[in-house]
Amino acid sequence: MKLLLDGYRALSNKPEDYEKAAKNIYDLLKNQFRRKYRIIKTSLDLCTRCGICTTQCFLYETTGEEIYNPIYRINLLRKLIHERKSRFYSIFHRGRKNKDNMITAEELHALAENIYRCNMCRRCSMACPFKVDNALIVREVRDLLSRLNIAPRDLHEYGALRQLKYDAVISMNKAAFLDIVKFMEEEIKEKRGFKIEIPVDKKGAEYLLLNVASDYIRILEDVMGIIEVLDYLGVDYTLSTEFNDASNYGVFYNDDYLAQIIRRHIEVAKKLEVKKIVVGECGHATLSLRVFKDVVPEAREFEVISVLELVDEYLRRGKLNLDPSKNRELVTYHDPCFLTRIIGLIEEPRRLLKASVLNFVEMEPNREYNYCCGGGGGIAVMYSNNFLEWRMKVSGRKKVEQIEKTGAKIVATACSNCKRQLKDLAFHYKAKWEVYGVLRLVANALVY
Amino acid sequence: MSSSFLDVFYLFFPYVSVSLFLILSIYRLITWFRVPMDIKWPLSPTPKTNRGVVASILKELVTFSSLYESDDIYWLAIIFLHFSLIFILLHVVSFLFNSMLAPDPISILRTTLYPATKDWLEIWTILIGFIAITSLLYILLRRLLVKEVREITFLRDYTELVLLLVIFILGTCMRLFNLVSMEEVVEYFLSLASLNPIKPPQNPIFLLHCLLAQLYIIYFPFSRCFHVIGYFINGWIVRKGVR
């Protein structure tokens, strides 16, 4: 099988997998893909290929290569859907004229690689006159291919499967988690001078706080920030030892794992008899429990909010006493795509930041027009093959330029994936800025 | 081809094309509405109320604001094209209405928009034809010359554009050189509308223009031009985040 697209590889599947998948894809297309969401059908029919989205796609802007054109991948899919219909139809389409009009293994490989290049940031939909939803199309194609066993290792084996097996994407058992909680209590005591108690497995609390498990290892300060703020406000919350990982890689690629993981979250919430679920600083975790919770019918009884909304509510009621002079450095805010363009948390983090830092500067463009960090759509957790290099050199370049232009010393953001990508970028480009969670800065500015 | 065959053809083909247009449009809509919309996945920031959603859809419909933000020359071409299409539709409809009902709303609108003396009407029609042709030419050239658009274009995109362009050029030529009189055309269309068709005006350009226009409306439900209807559906889903 010849090398398609560019030299980078997101997927580690073998050529046999693609050959097998190319035979079976049509049944799935007919029975699942095309009957799922109306917006996918209308989007594929409506796109006039006017090319407006190409002006918005930061990947295309960075590379200028045809394969990163937002419509290119949709065209690949369109070929897949339409060309088998009839010979007559296919003369209107450019490209393949093989014997049975079947997709070849190479073409399927190209499609599979290509859909794992999309960051699902939805900037293209913002500009599209017909609001063609490329991100949802990409997600559904990923879902389709994952049913044919084509999925990146980092999302599937090291992600969803591991989470279901070990309760967390990183394997963290109960003892380790309790250790971390204890460590956090000690750290906060050292910093603040008084001891706080972090509730774990408390039954009947109002909120269940779910954080991304890898945050407990990589960026404990951000988790501590959330806990400090919640403790300051006197929120009745609890952590869980069981299934405490909020992340849900099913959002990025597969409905079945999505539903399984949501079910586990809901089980925990029911067991601890909480009323609401608060998701920590994470875009896709909030999305999974808020937008996709309808996949699991029993999930509807729980209200799911982001921790930003919760704290912002207190801020607006004047319960949060903040001293901005404790954060003197220039801070900018990076809008995580899922939080901004799907859930719509745009002003909440800004209000929090403006109240807790002295100098705040906006990136250009900002809010719903912000560029993706280059790690959206699950790409931030993909390290296999040479994909890290792609994330650094191709998808993250625009963001680095954008941040450098502001001259900020601290990039605040509210998404675990964005933080991971931005930290990787800062390391790769030897940047002078640091990545903080929004609530870490808020916790820093608290006046006791 | 004998002229008698042509006459017979133009007596029944308009009915075929209009009914095909209606049937195929309904078929297309059914294929859309058969698929459930089972996801709450809005494009934030979204309007809070239903009224806000409708207002936002209408605002974009009139101003084409998302195009303006990305590419202003293209926006200008698109604005000109769409508004000239609307003008021409109004023009045709107002002629038909004018002859069927005495004081009809559309001709009142037309007379308030521009002086309805015969010369002015001619000039307006020609002018609008030229505007539409220019904008179509720009869109076609953009497709051919701009790299990011060219690399995603299918053959059918060119076909649709060229078809529309030819229809406009023939129509404008007809008015420019006064090949057929407006009265004849109106008479022919009215006879079609009253199910009692007469012979069409005998001019090859008019006949070709008429034929291509009919082919266009047959193809319409399967062309990209069906965005006229899809715009509202997609706009509603995306702004509402419907479940």
Side-chain angles (χ1 to χ4, degrees):
Chain A
M1 206 159 79
K2 66 175 191 290
L3 206 64
L4 285 157
L5 291 167
D6 45 9
Y8 302 108
R9 281 288 165 275
L11 294 146
S12 325
N13 289 76
K14 295 183 190 71
E16 301 93 81
D17 293 344
Y18 294 108
E19 267 153 37
K20 217 173 137 196
K23 288 197 192 90
N24 300 328
I25 198 166
Y26 287 101
D27 294 337
L28 279 174
L29 258 183
K30 202 173 152 200
N31 298 325
Q32 294 207 352
F33 183 77
R34 302 187 60 200
R35 305 198 170 185
K36 209 161 167 192
Y37 300 129
R38 184 179 302 163
I39 189 153
I40 291 186
K41 177 132 187 77
T42 48
S43 291
L44 287 174
D45 289 347
L46 279 180
C47 175
T48 58
R49 294 180 280 285
C50 63
I52 285 298
C53 46
T54 57
T55 60
Q56 298 295 321
C57 182
F58 69 100
L59 275 176
Y60 188 70
E61 223 176 302
T62 326
T63 57
E65 287 173 39
E66 187 185 354
I67 54 167
Y68 292 111
N69 198 317
I71 301 304
Y72 178 79
R73 62 176 72 88
I74 307 284
N75 279 353
L76 282 178
L77 179 69
R78 199 178 272 121
K79 272 184 194 168
L80 180 68
I81 292 175
H82 290 310
E83 276 208 8
R84 192 135 172 260
K85 275 190 186 163
S86 68
R87 291 287 178 84
F88 175 73
Y89 199 82
S90 67
I91 41 176
F92 291 106
H93 290 267
R94 207 166 59 165
R96 199 174 64 246
K97 283 178 187 63
N98 68 359
K99 218 172 124 215
D100 303 322
N101 269 338
M102 297 269 275
I103 193 167
T104 61
E106 280 90 0
E107 280 166 322
L108 195 64
H109 181 209
L111 176 65
E113 276 291 336
N114 212 312
I115 57 163
Y116 280 101
R117 301 300 164 81
C118 175
N119 290 77
M120 293 165 71
C121 71
R122 299 180 101 209
R123 260 174 67 89
C124 46
S125 305
M126 292 292 304
C128 179
F130 314 115
K131 308 293 174 209
V132 167
D133 206 333
N134 287 340
L136 193 61
I137 293 171
V138 163
R139 185 188 175 270
E140 294 311 318
V141 179
R142 287 177 180 188
D143 180 69
L144 182 78
L145 290 179
S146 73
R147 284 163 204 283
L148 299 161
N149 293 324
I150 296 174
R153 219 188 267 152
D154 301 283
L155 287 181
H156 184 56
E157 279 134 58
Y158 304 158
L161 286 185
R162 194 188 275 180
Q163 190 181 1
L164 286 167
K165 201 172 168 193
Y166 299 111
D167 281 14
V169 172
I170 46 154
S171 24
M172 181 167 67
N173 61 17
K174 196 175 167 178
F177 180 69
L178 289 175
D179 258 6
I180 291 170
V181 171
K182 211 171 192 181
F183 177 74
M184 282 198 286
E185 281 178 350
E186 276 163 22
E187 280 285 295
I188 294 172
K189 192 183 172 191
E190 217 167 87
K191 206 165 122 196
R192 297 278 175 214
F194 56 89
K195 193 172 181 338
I196 67 163
E197 203 161 309
I198 301 174
V200 178
D201 282 346
K202 183 173 132 191
K203 283 208 173 174
E206 198 179 353
Y207 296 104
L208 168 68
L209 175 62
L210 285 171
N211 278 309
V212 175
S214 56
D215 283 5
Y216 288 112
I217 307 294
R218 288 183 305 115
I219 35 174
L220 195 61
E221 297 90 338
D222 287 3
V223 181
M224 267 157 56
I226 296 174
I227 284 171
E228 271 178 68
V229 173
L230 292 188
D231 189 77
Y232 177 88
L233 294 171
V235 177
D236 182 21
Y237 74 101
T238 178
L239 293 171
S240 161
T241 47
E242 197 188 313
F243 215 79
N244 52 31
D245 190 355
S247 61
N248 188 342
Y249 291 164
V251 170
F252 302 127
Y253 84 105
N254 191 304
D255 273 356
D256 294 343
Y257 295 113
L258 173 82
Q260 281 183 40
I261 294 170
I262 293 176
R263 239 173 240 134
R264 294 290 298 275
H265 284 138
I266 298 302
E267 261 172 43
V268 172
K270 275 189 176 162
K271 209 170 152 192
L272 293 175
E273 293 158 16
V274 295
K275 292 188 191 72
K276 294 173 188 173
I277 298 175
V278 187
V279 186
E281 295 187 342
C282 187
H284 82 275
T286 320
L287 185 77
S288 78
L289 285 166
R290 237 168 110 140
V291 172
F292 287 104
K293 71 174 175 184
D294 292 323
V295 174
V296 186
E298 63 261 34
R300 282 182 208 151
E301 60 188 85
F302 290 102
E303 195 191 328
V304 180
I305 52 171
S306 168
V307 71
L308 294 175
E309 282 170 287
L310 180 68
V311 178
D312 179 60
E313 184 67 39
Y314 280 98
L315 178 75
R316 277 189 294 172
R317 279 199 263 141
K319 295 273 173 67
L320 210 56
N321 198 0
L322 295 166
D323 176 16
S325 64
K326 286 185 180 172
N327 294 312
R328 291 187 166 276
E329 259 148 17
L330 188 60
V331 178
T332 181
Y333 178 67
H334 162 69
D335 291 88
C337 304
F338 280 176
L339 280 184
T340 311
R341 274 181 285 263
I342 300 178
I343 298 174
L345 295 184
I346 298 170
E347 297 306 324
E348 284 87 347
R350 287 189 164 73
R351 270 198 292 270
L352 286 172
L353 281 175
K354 278 172 189 164
S356 53
V357 305
L358 214 53
N359 303 309
F360 181 76
V361 61
E362 286 281 6
M363 289 189 201
E364 207 51 56
N366 54 41
R367 292 187 166 82
E368 67 267 26
Y369 292 100
N370 191 27
Y371 288 117
C372 173
C373 60
I379 284 170
V381 294
M382 285 157 64
Y383 289 88
S384 291
N385 309 329
N386 52 359
F387 208 59
L388 177 65
E389 197 185 323
W390 181 80
R391 264 169 52 198
M392 296 300 112
K393 288 190 178 156
V394 181
S395 74
R397 210 195 302 161
K398 194 91 195 171
K399 192 81 227 173
V400 174
E401 283 167 18
Q402 200 193 0
I403 293 172
E404 309 258 279
K405 229 178 255 171
T406 62
K409 285 277 173 290
I410 291 175
V411 182
T413 184
C415 170
S416 186
N417 271 12
C418 296
K419 282 176 201 164
R420 190 193 286 253
Q421 164 78 358
L422 289 173
K423 278 182 184 232
D424 285 346
L425 282 174
F427 179 75
H428 184 267
Y429 285 95
K430 297 185 180 63
K432 291 194 179 64
W433 37 268
E434 277 185 84
V435 185
Y436 276 47
V438 173
L439 289 183
R440 184 176 168 187
L441 288 167
V442 174
N444 235 356
L446 284 177
V447 181
Y448 284 94
Chain B
M1 232 187 291
S2 68
S3 71
S4 63
F5 172 77
L6 263 179
D7 291 344
V8 175
F9 182 78
Y10 278 90
L11 293 186
F12 78 88
F13 194 63
Y15 296 112
V16 175
S17 54
V18 170
S19 35
L20 270 177
F21 165 72
L22 290 175
I23 292 165
L24 292 175
S25 301
I26 291 166
Y27 167 75
R28 193 75 193 272
L29 283 176
I30 288 172
T31 60
W32 283 357
F33 280 96
R34 266 172 57 197
V35 185
M37 35 181 184
D38 208 8
I39 193 167
K40 200 178 168 72
W41 174 279
L43 191 64
S44 289
T46 47
K48 297 250 174 345
T49 56
N50 282 0
R51 196 181 287 174
V53 172
V54 172
S56 148
I57 291 176
L58 290 180
K59 187 194 149 226
E60 171 131 7
L61 182 70
V62 179
T63 59
F64 295 74
S65 51
S66 59
L67 280 181
Y68 180 69
E69 280 156 23
S70 307
D71 188 341
D72 38 9
I73 303 174
Y74 185 59
W75 168 79
L76 207 64
I78 290 290
I79 282 259
F80 277 142
L81 177 62
H82 282 84
F83 280 89
S84 53
L85 277 169
I86 290 169
F87 249 92
I88 285 165
L89 260 176
L90 276 183
H91 193 78
V92 170
V93 173
S94 73
F95 260 112
L96 293 184
F97 265 102
N98 215 1
S99 331
M100 288 198 292
L101 317 161
D104 68 295
I106 293 162
S107 62
I108 293 167
L109 183 75
R110 178 159 55 80
T111 42
T112 44
L113 281 176
Y114 51 88
T117 61
K118 212 174 168 211
D119 297 344
W120 267 106
L121 213 72
E122 295 280 288
I123 292 167
W124 262 106
T125 330
I126 292 161
L127 195 67
I128 284 166
F130 272 110
I131 289 172
I133 290 167
T134 324
S135 47
L136 272 170
L137 272 176
Y138 172 76
I139 295 166
L140 190 62
L141 279 178
R142 181 173 172 274
R143 246 186 214 297
L144 284 166
L145 301 179
V146 178
K147 176 181 164 280
E148 53 256 46
V149 190
R150 189 182 58 229
E151 66 194 18
I152 53 173
T153 305
F154 286 145
L155 183 60
R156 54 186 285 212
D157 297 334
Y158 293 124
T159 350
E160 283 166 29
L161 269 178
V162 170
L163 182 59
L164 205 53
L165 191 58
V166 172
I167 292 171
F168 265 110
I169 291 174
L170 290 179
T172 316
C173 279
M174 242 154 52
R175 297 266 48 86
L176 193 58
F177 305 115
N178 212 1
L179 299 177
V180 276
S181 75
M182 209 58 215
E183 283 76 23
E184 270 181 286
V185 178
V186 171
E187 207 181 337
Y188 171 59
F189 277 123
L190 277 178
S191 74
L192 283 172
S194 59
L195 301 180
N196 191 14
I198 56 161
K199 269 172 48 172
Q202 300 294 311
N203 181 292
I205 304 250
F206 171 77
L207 293 180
L208 190 58
H209 173 79
C210 221
L211 178 67
L212 287 177
Q214 287 174 57
L215 287 179
Y216 180 77
I217 67 161
I218 293 173
Y219 182 50
F220 186 87
F222 288 91
S223 72
R224 304 164 313 134
C225 305
F226 209 56
H227 66 239
V228 180
I229 292 159
Y231 169 81
F232 298 99
I233 297 170
N234 240 15
W236 179 263
I237 295 177
V238 151
R239 286 180 180 85
K240 190 70 186 142
V242 198
R243 197 207 126 66

